[in-house]
Amino acid sequence: MILTELKKGQSATIVKIDAQQSLKDRLKSMGVCKGELLTVRGCSLAKQTMEIEIEGTLVALRAEEAKKIEVEK
């Protein structure tokens, strides 16, 4: 499943990030990498942005970035 399919309060483990290396590097610098457990903390009304928590850090992602992150409950 992809990250955008999760609802507020749900948690999942990152399985794969299917993006260009520049985006992977940027996400990794924020702690978003394979094997990490994340929790969805909120979404904008139109679900254009998501706020996720990884190891106590809140990260805001655009929908197009979140769609590139494959997760597993």
Side-chain angles (χ1 to χ4, degrees), residues 1-7 9-16 32-40 52-55 69-73:
M1 86 184 331
I2 58 172
L3 179 54
T4 55
E5 295 175 18
L6 293 178
K7 294 182 180 9
Q10 291 185 315
S11 297
T13 301
I14 299 171
V15 176
K16 180 181 176 183
V32 181
C33 50
K34 184 178 174 183
E36 290 293 331
L37 178 67
L38 61 82
T39 303
V40 177
I52 61 171
E53 182 177 351
I54 295 182
E55 292 192 10
I69 301 173
E70 187 178 327
V71 296
E72 178 179 89
K73 282 189 174 181

Side-chain angles (χ1 to χ4, degrees), residues 41-53:
R41 292 295 176 206
C43 298
S44 64
L45 289 176
K47 214 165 186 181
Q48 292 300 309
T49 58
M50 295 184 79
E51 183 179 50
I52 61 171
E53 182 177 351

Side-chain angles (χ1 to χ4, degrees), residues 24-32:
K24 283 183 182 180
D25 291 342
R26 190 166 66 82
L27 291 172
K28 188 174 182 179
S29 73
M30 295 184 283
V32 181

